[in-house]
Amino acid sequence: MEKMALNIQISALITLTLAFLCPAIHGWGVDGHFIICTIAQHRLSEAASDAVNQLLPDNGENDLPSLCAWADRMRFRYHWSAPLHYINTPDTCTYEYARDCKDESGEKGFCVAGAINNYTNQLLTYGNSSSKNQYNLTQALLFLSHFMGDIHQPLHVGFASDRGGNTINVHWYTRTAVLHHVWDASIIETAEERFYSSSVEELIKAIEQNITKEWADQVQKWEKCSYGKTTCPDIYASEGISAACDWAYKNVSEGSTLEDEYFLSRLPIVNLRLAEGGVRLAATLNRIFG
């Protein structure tokens, strides 16, 4: 009965927010989040898959990938969630939780790393009868799945001075864009058009093939967390700011035109971060529900 009421509530919210698409894209674009959640869904243990299916709202699709971008649309309803999608760092190419995980008012813990810790802890109460009605675990699952994607987008752990590349205007080939949007969506969309017949499913197949072959010796390291933790967003964030400095920001300035040289050298980084995000989301959910 509790689950039914919970799912009715979330289904209503999803129906409301799917009724329109906002022009601004936050985090990975819809395809990026879909890719990460699809990879994760394919790697869930039986116990985790059962728990996820129990928590997902019955909205006619009932799979994690179709709801992976939900949190982006919810930020217009839940304004408090906006700072949970990113981390602003000083222009030093380093990340420190105590220094950087805060919102613009200075409230500690309000960043994507803090959100991942929070929603992981909420989901760890799943199946605990004493915690009933304490948390909305359907929302926790959807937020966690989305934020695990966001933290793997390099410019979601970017410089405060340019708001993660949002104030750097560039040209993506002949189109105007901001650097942040290039990493959210443009690189993925261009790859799909050029190499995968405009099919996100074909891109997913290629990434999953690389997970089992090219990156097979790295996957176990991606999945692990230090000190027996369920999730370790500080590791993911540190990787993110390094990728932002080494690849996203490198050789880019206001008004830069980004074409094949940038696209072809950055696409492997985007594919790697999508793969890591999917593998780690699955590993986290497997630990939570295992």
Side-chain angles (χ1 to χ4, degrees):
M1 193 70 182
E2 178 189 358
K3 178 181 182 291
M4 183 181 298
L6 191 70
N7 283 345
I8 289 171
Q9 178 190 13
I10 300 301
S11 295
L13 290 175
I14 289 166
T15 300
L16 173 67
T17 54
L18 288 179
F20 63 93
L21 289 176
C22 303
I25 294 178
H26 309 278
W28 294 110
V30 172
D31 279 5
H33 283 292
F34 184 86
I35 290 165
I36 286 171
C37 281
T38 300
I39 292 169
Q41 186 165 266
H42 291 167
R43 301 178 66 87
L44 292 179
S45 67
E46 184 176 352
S49 182
D50 288 345
V52 167
N53 288 335
Q54 283 291 313
L55 290 173
L56 286 176
D58 185 10
N59 70 325
E61 297 181 34
N62 203 37
D63 64 76
L64 193 57
S66 69
L67 298 174
C68 211
W70 175 84
D72 273 340
R73 293 182 287 271
M74 276 293 98
R75 66 191 293 167
F76 296 96
R77 182 185 179 96
Y78 299 150
H79 297 289
W80 52 264
S81 71
L84 303 182
H85 291 255
Y86 59 86
I87 299 167
N88 283 332
T89 72
D91 297 9
T92 59
C93 296
T94 62
Y95 159 77
E96 297 175 17
Y97 184 90
R99 180 192 67 193
D100 303 329
C101 190
K102 60 183 184 297
D103 65 13
E104 292 184 356
S105 71
E107 184 74 21
K108 297 288 187 180
F110 270 71
C111 77
V112 66
I116 288 172
N117 286 328
N118 176 46
Y119 290 114
T120 295
N121 289 334
Q122 288 189 24
L123 287 169
L124 284 168
T125 70
Y126 177 78
N128 184 346
S129 59
S130 65
S131 66
K132 281 185 177 179
N133 300 320
Q134 185 177 4
Y135 301 117
N136 185 327
L137 295 186
T138 298
Q139 285 194 14
L141 172 64
L142 297 180
F143 276 130
L144 175 63
S145 300
H146 185 89
F147 294 145
M148 283 290 286
D150 278 351
I151 203 169
H152 283 85
Q153 204 275 55
L155 287 177
H156 273 252
V157 192
F159 295 157
S161 61
D162 55 49
R163 304 179 71 86
N166 272 299
T167 65
I168 301 176
N169 297 294
V170 298
H171 287 88
W172 182 250
Y173 294 89
T174 59
R175 286 184 254 175
T176 58
V178 294
L179 183 63
H180 188 97
H181 181 82
V182 167
W183 283 78
D184 272 353
S186 301
I187 295 174
I188 293 173
E189 290 170 356
T190 301
E192 289 171 353
E193 293 168 4
R194 190 176 295 189
F195 303 125
Y196 301 104
S197 303
S198 297
S199 170
V200 66
E201 288 81 9
E202 291 302 313
L203 175 54
I204 291 169
K205 288 179 184 176
I207 294 175
E208 290 185 320
Q209 186 174 50
N210 282 339
I211 290 171
T212 58
K213 294 183 178 179
E214 181 180 347
W215 301 316
D217 60 341
Q218 302 176 49
V219 170
Q220 192 173 16
K221 181 181 177 182
W222 296 350
E223 292 176 322
K224 284 184 177 178
C225 274
S226 55
Y227 307 111
K229 293 181 179 178
T230 306
T231 193
C232 36
D234 289 343
I235 292 174
Y236 318 149
S238 294
E239 293 171 351
I241 187 60
S242 294
C245 289
D246 293 344
W247 298 101
Y249 287 124
K250 192 171 184 180
N251 299 326
V252 177
S253 57
E254 179 72 16
S256 290
T257 297
L258 308 179
E259 298 182 302
D260 276 0
E261 182 179 354
Y262 191 92
F263 166 61
L264 295 173
S265 59
R266 272 58 173 184
L267 178 58
I269 307 306
V270 168
N271 287 343
L272 176 64
R273 293 303 280 170
L274 291 169
E276 290 172 333
V279 167
R280 284 164 167 167
L281 173 57
T284 298
L285 293 175
N286 288 339
R287 284 190 286 268
I288 289 170
F289 300 120

